[in-house]
Amino acid sequence: MRIKRAASSVVEADMTPMIDMTFQLIAFFMIVTNFEQTQADERVKLPADQLARPPLVPREDELVLNVGFIRNTKGEKVDPDPFVFLGDENVRVMDYGPYLKRERQVADLKHGDGAHKNMTVVIRADYEVPTGLIQELIKLSQEAGFEKFSFKAKSDDGAG
Amino acid sequence: MKIRRGSGEDAGKVDIQMAPMIDVVFQLLIFFMLTLKIVAPEGDFNINMPIGSAAAASDEPPPLDIKVRLLANPDGTLGQVVFGNRPLGNDAPACFDRLNLEIVGLVGSGGGFADDMSVEIDADYNLNYEYTIKAISSCTGRIDPVTQQPVRYIEKIKLAPPRRPGEA
């Protein structure tokens, strides 16, 4: 009896559908990922508001100040005072004046004298920060020479 | 000339090496999956506070300066919203809707003077920031219920000087 041998003993899986799917996934993640440099700090829990829509034209110069509380993993405040988060440094709001003056100098050096006047101070503050401290921060910024201000809020589409 | 043909059925079939490609593709996939960070969209409210607004106020008083006073409870929650001299309550979403209606009334009767109007928000020192944002939002505009597009009322919002606890 003659045994008909198979073409080969190696079973070749059809790779095409898997590669199709994988490319789809890659394309999806590539589109969704944004490498935009944001100066957002995750420790800040922004207040939510319906009217907060992302600006149509991104601002050129902005100085982002993240104001929030240091919280533990349960979300409880470790320190009752809010801080301005500056990289790894946490500065108390009332002590932030010298830093703002330095920001002004940096802005002027970078973009020419008086550039700080066109710079917007974007305040990203936690929803529980006392309003008075935000006002103090604005006052300190004004003393440092900044004139434009903006408050950040989370977009909120639902009711609330 | 003798052309050497491949043996048997391999002839004419080019075998592409799939393994390296799949390796790289999976690497890419994992890279993009790990770098994915979901960022909630953020919007902003412009605050109009030129330097020395308190000092220069006497030179050229703005034609219509609406004052919104926000009173706080000791724990930072909203105590009362006062529009001009009229209290609007402290039931969080509804009182801001009322504030919004008051602003609509003013802007509507002003007949397009909304550009000249400015709102000054005078909040207690310890009031939670979220209420200030709500007040700013209800003065700035509202979401049209039909079109779902934002309608702008007053763009010029400013904050009053801080009321420090010892001084007030």
Side-chain angles (χ1 to χ4, degrees):
Chain A
M1 202 176 111
R2 201 166 155 194
I3 300 163
K4 199 171 133 193
R5 295 185 75 197
S8 116
S9 59
V10 181
V11 180
E12 250 189 69
D14 192 4
M15 286 291 185
T16 323
M18 189 185 77
I19 293 167
D20 285 354
M21 281 311 299
T22 316
F23 277 136
Q24 293 274 354
L25 282 172
I26 288 187
F28 168 74
F29 281 112
M30 273 174 78
I31 290 166
V32 169
T33 308
N34 56 345
F35 291 103
E36 209 177 294
Q37 285 274 329
T38 49
Q39 291 164 288
D41 194 300
E42 283 127 40
R43 288 172 285 185
V44 176
K45 306 251 175 293
L46 286 179
D49 195 89
Q50 290 189 353
L51 268 184
R53 296 283 169 97
L56 296 175
V57 187
R59 266 192 293 270
E60 280 178 16
D61 296 326
E62 55 180 28
L63 168 65
V64 180
L65 302 180
N66 287 290
V67 189
F69 296 99
I70 298 174
R71 295 170 197 264
N72 59 16
T73 43
K74 286 179 199 152
E76 295 156 352
K77 289 176 212 160
V78 175
D79 195 310
D81 283 345
F83 290 90
V84 180
F85 300 130
L86 183 76
D88 292 337
E89 236 181 305
N90 301 323
V91 188
R92 275 177 210 278
V93 174
M94 296 307 281
D95 302 334
Y96 204 67
Y99 292 88
L100 285 164
K101 294 211 169 77
R102 209 181 304 154
E103 289 286 356
R104 177 203 166 136
Q105 286 168 356
V106 170
D108 283 355
L109 281 175
K110 231 159 107 183
H111 306 288
D113 259 359
H116 65 273
K117 284 197 197 307
N118 294 321
M119 214 163 168
T120 310
V121 178
V122 178
I123 297 179
R124 295 183 79 250
D126 194 283
Y127 70 102
E128 280 182 325
V129 171
T131 303
L133 283 175
I134 305 298
Q135 290 165 305
E136 298 280 5
L137 195 59
I138 288 180
K139 220 173 140 196
L140 287 173
S141 312
Q142 286 178 331
E143 281 163 17
F146 293 103
E147 292 187 0
K148 293 181 182 170
F149 298 94
S150 165
F151 289 159
K152 279 266 186 208
K154 225 168 22 182
S155 298
D156 174 24
D157 295 327
Chain B
M1 205 174 107
K2 196 178 173 185
I3 297 165
R4 202 170 71 175
R5 298 187 70 195
S7 61
E9 52 202 60
D10 286 346
K13 194 179 171 191
V14 182
D15 214 354
I16 306 167
Q17 281 283 328
M18 281 291 181
M21 190 184 80
I22 292 167
D23 286 354
V24 172
V25 166
F26 276 136
Q27 293 279 351
L28 281 173
L29 184 61
I30 289 167
F31 168 73
F32 282 113
M33 275 172 76
L34 291 182
T35 50
L36 179 71
K37 202 173 86 180
I38 297 161
V39 184
E42 290 176 8
D44 37 11
F45 296 103
N46 287 323
I47 301 296
N48 183 29
M49 286 180 79
I51 289 178
S53 58
S58 54
D59 300 348
E60 214 178 277
L64 256 174
D65 208 1
I66 305 160
K67 285 209 189 317
V68 177
R69 178 92 173 86
L70 301 174
L71 295 159
N73 295 325
D75 61 347
T77 52
L78 189 67
Q80 186 72 257
V81 180
V82 184
F83 175 79
N85 295 318
R86 210 170 336 151
L88 297 177
N90 64 350
D91 40 343
C95 60
F96 290 113
D97 290 343
R98 283 196 286 274
L99 174 61
N100 194 239
L101 284 175
E102 295 281 352
I103 298 284
V104 176
L106 265 182
V107 174
S109 64
F113 285 120
D115 289 348
D116 298 332
M117 287 189 206
S118 71
V119 178
E120 188 181 68
I121 292 182
D122 187 1
D124 270 353
Y125 200 85
N126 64 335
L127 181 75
N128 281 354
Y129 178 64
E130 60 177 322
Y131 299 111
T132 312
I133 285 289
K134 284 269 175 244
I136 292 172
S137 159
S138 42
C139 295
T140 321
R142 71 186 165 104
I143 298 285
D144 192 292
V146 183
T147 59
Q148 295 297 317
Q149 290 301 310
V151 183
R152 299 278 167 193
Y153 295 141
I154 298 175
E155 299 280 348
K156 289 180 185 164
I157 310 275
K158 60 184 176 185
L159 296 184
R163 294 170 173 261
R164 294 202 178 103
E167 296 170 11

